[in-house]
Amino acid sequence: MGIRVVIVDDHKIMREGLKSLLSMEKDILVVGEADNGRVATQCVKDLDPDIVLMDLTMPEMNGIDATRRIAADYPSVRVLALSMHSDRRFIEEALSAGAQGFLLKDCAFDELVNAIHEVVADRFYLSPRITGVVIKDYLGRRGRPESASSIRLTPREREVLQLIAEGKNTKEVAFALDVSVKTVESQRMQIMRKLKTNSIADMTKFAIREGLTTLD
């Protein structure tokens, strides 16, 4: 039956381009597409793919949180992160969330196909360029204290923060997450306490810095 793939990216042209290229591979079948992490988790539930090609920065639910949910709920499904970000933080977040590989979006198509096969075979794949970034950053940080990004939000707090940073009000966040307004208000207060701020602007800056959302 071949390798069943779901493509997740908020840019339609990127999804269509990947689908067109992958359709030329005899052992790869694109079975679904999603434009955000929330839709992606539903696609995984409905379509039972072997692998998800996951963009990291998307609206509604970002790729890191979607990866974490897929890894927890569907452990047999492999996630290969595809991102334009080569920052060590994105790489570490994706891998710690459960991704089994990480590629930059400007990689050669042959490398993508090879990575798909490696990850489906239950092996980790990091492109040589990414490995170089991680090693260089590690060597540069040796002997220096850890950065202040040790603030740990729960998965649900990350979801709430992303939606707030994207401009949704409390009622809209509650509706999107199917919880009460009171629950969202409580989680927002908890986030503010952890970030030591009462400012939505500061929360948004933190969300952007952590890759939960962008300004596009």
Side-chain angles (χ1 to χ4, degrees), residues 96-158:
S96 66
Q100 286 201 223
F102 195 110
L103 286 178
L104 293 178
K105 284 186 176 181
D106 62 354
C107 71
F109 179 64
D110 287 348
E111 184 181 6
L112 172 61
V113 172
N114 180 48
I116 288 172
H117 284 96
E118 287 292 302
V119 170
V120 167
D122 206 19
R123 293 188 287 266
F124 282 86
Y125 186 91
L126 256 128
S127 71
R129 290 169 61 197
I130 291 296
T131 306
V133 168
V134 174
I135 292 173
K136 183 178 179 181
D137 187 86
Y138 170 74
L139 292 174
R141 288 185 299 119
R142 278 196 312 189
R144 295 206 313 254
E146 284 294 316
S147 76
S149 187
S150 55
I151 298 167
R152 291 295 171 198
L153 301 180
T154 67
R156 179 43 63 92
E157 287 168 351
R158 287 168 59 89

Side-chain angles (χ1 to χ4, degrees), residues 39-215:
V39 176
T41 58
Q42 187 63 46
C43 277
V44 169
K45 179 181 179 181
D46 295 340
L47 301 172
D48 190 29
D50 299 300
I51 186 169
V52 177
L53 303 184
M54 182 73 78
D55 185 22
L56 296 185
T57 309
M58 297 178 291
E60 297 293 331
M61 179 188 283
N62 64 79
I64 291 171
D65 288 331
T67 296
R68 185 177 288 107
R69 184 167 294 184
I70 290 168
D73 296 344
Y74 310 98
S76 65
V77 178
R78 306 301 177 218
V79 176
L80 175 59
L82 273 176
S83 178
M84 62 182 179
H85 299 289
S86 60
D87 188 284
R88 174 189 59 85
R89 185 176 66 254
F90 284 91
I91 301 165
E92 289 184 352
E93 285 281 351
L95 296 178
S96 66
Q100 286 201 223
F102 195 110
L103 286 178
L104 293 178
K105 284 186 176 181
D106 62 354
C107 71
F109 179 64
D110 287 348
E111 184 181 6
L112 172 61
V113 172
N114 180 48
I116 288 172
H117 284 96
E118 287 292 302
V119 170
V120 167
D122 206 19
R123 293 188 287 266
F124 282 86
Y125 186 91
L126 256 128
S127 71
R129 290 169 61 197
I130 291 296
T131 306
V133 168
V134 174
I135 292 173
K136 183 178 179 181
D137 187 86
Y138 170 74
L139 292 174
R141 288 185 299 119
R142 278 196 312 189
R144 295 206 313 254
E146 284 294 316
S147 76
S149 187
S150 55
I151 298 167
R152 291 295 171 198
L153 301 180
T154 67
R156 179 43 63 92
E157 287 168 351
R158 287 168 59 89
E159 287 185 70
V160 170
L161 176 58
Q162 177 175 352
L163 293 171
I164 290 173
E166 289 172 356
K168 288 183 169 55
N169 61 37
T170 304
K171 287 184 180 178
E172 290 170 331
V173 174
F175 179 78
L177 299 179
D178 195 24
V179 297
S180 71
V181 168
K182 208 172 239 187
T183 296
V184 173
E185 288 174 344
S186 172
Q187 289 166 338
R188 184 179 62 186
M189 292 299 294
Q190 182 74 354
I191 293 165
M192 287 181 166
R193 186 188 65 76
K194 288 183 178 181
L195 300 186
K196 298 179 180 176
T197 183
N198 290 314
S199 164
I200 296 295
D202 287 344
M203 292 172 69
T204 301
K205 287 176 188 175
F206 180 86
I208 293 169
R209 193 167 65 245
E210 293 299 303
L212 298 180
T213 189
T214 67
L215 288 175

